[in-house]
Amino acid sequence: YHFFPTPGAVYLGLARRYLGSVQERVVDFRPTDNQWQTLTRQRLEEIASVYEGNLPMRKLLLGCRTTHELMLCSIAHDEEMAELLAKAYEKSYHMPLIRDLTRKIMVSMRAVDAIWSLSQNRHGRLLKEYVEESVVVVIAYSRTFLPDRLELRDTQFPLVE
């Protein structure tokens, strides 16, 4: 009662917990073929498997009855994730100068949320076809600011310690 004085506070607490569990599984990811496109696909498929395995999470975060507070929580989480992903790209690849990289990553994340919400609301689950659509959208959008090939950093032998 003291921690969650209203039903909305319970949902907000659950949303934070669910979003935190997604974040833990996505940040430290290494592409199997060293390509950012593969990394994008792997991350989205991993997140989709988390969502697909948790019906309450899907309903809460992707359902059509999401409250304004939950939407704000999701956007704040996406901002935090975008910052972490931008840092992960910098750590993994020799990145060109990209203005507003974090914002661009966040825009792609919001596009994924919209596509996945459509799947949840139309079909009651996250269908593979919609996950694939989200991969296509993110890669196509990312190609507007990322080159097709990024040189991988040698993380075993850092240039500066």
Side-chain angles (χ1 to χ4, degrees):
Y1 169 75
H2 297 288
F3 295 113
F4 303 109
T6 65
V10 172
Y11 294 139
L12 199 56
L14 272 174
R16 287 188 178 123
R17 179 178 173 194
Y18 290 147
L19 291 169
S21 71
V22 168
Q23 186 171 317
E24 289 172 4
R25 297 184 65 174
V26 174
V27 174
D28 291 325
F29 232 83
R30 195 73 171 166
T32 55
D33 65 0
N34 298 331
Q35 300 299 312
W36 67 263
Q37 298 89 338
T38 304
L39 180 63
T40 298
R41 176 177 297 283
Q42 289 172 327
R43 282 184 169 147
L44 288 173
E45 288 174 350
E46 176 67 19
I47 296 168
S49 72
V50 172
Y51 272 90
E52 189 52 34
N54 190 331
L55 177 61
M57 178 180 175
R58 279 197 327 271
K59 284 183 172 183
L60 182 66
L61 298 176
L62 301 176
C64 62
R65 294 189 177 97
T66 300
T67 66
H68 182 69
E69 290 81 12
L70 286 176
M71 182 62 70
L72 292 176
C73 176
S74 179
I75 289 170
H77 172 265
D78 286 353
E79 284 179 312
E80 185 179 322
M81 276 290 290
E83 288 175 16
L84 290 172
L85 290 171
K87 288 178 185 173
Y89 274 100
E90 293 285 345
K91 182 180 175 184
S92 298
Y93 297 102
H94 293 280
M95 294 289 289
L97 174 65
I98 301 171
R99 295 194 194 290
D100 297 325
L101 177 60
T102 300
R103 180 184 54 80
K104 291 174 181 181
I105 292 171
M106 186 176 164
V107 166
S108 68
M109 292 172 66
R110 298 308 301 164
V112 169
D113 285 348
I115 294 166
W116 290 7
S117 289
L118 182 61
S119 179
Q120 176 62 34
N121 291 307
R122 280 199 171 165
H123 306 286
R125 56 185 298 243
L126 188 51
L127 297 178
K128 289 180 184 179
E129 294 87 351
Y130 286 80
V131 173
E132 182 59 29
E133 290 291 335
S134 68
V135 170
V136 169
V137 166
V138 171
I139 290 174
Y141 173 65
S142 297
R143 282 189 168 131
T144 67
F145 57 88
L146 285 176
D148 277 339
R149 296 198 44 91
L150 290 171
E151 193 66 35
L152 195 64
R153 289 188 185 273
D154 186 1
T155 56
Q156 293 178 350
F157 304 102
L159 299 175
V160 180
E161 294 204 24

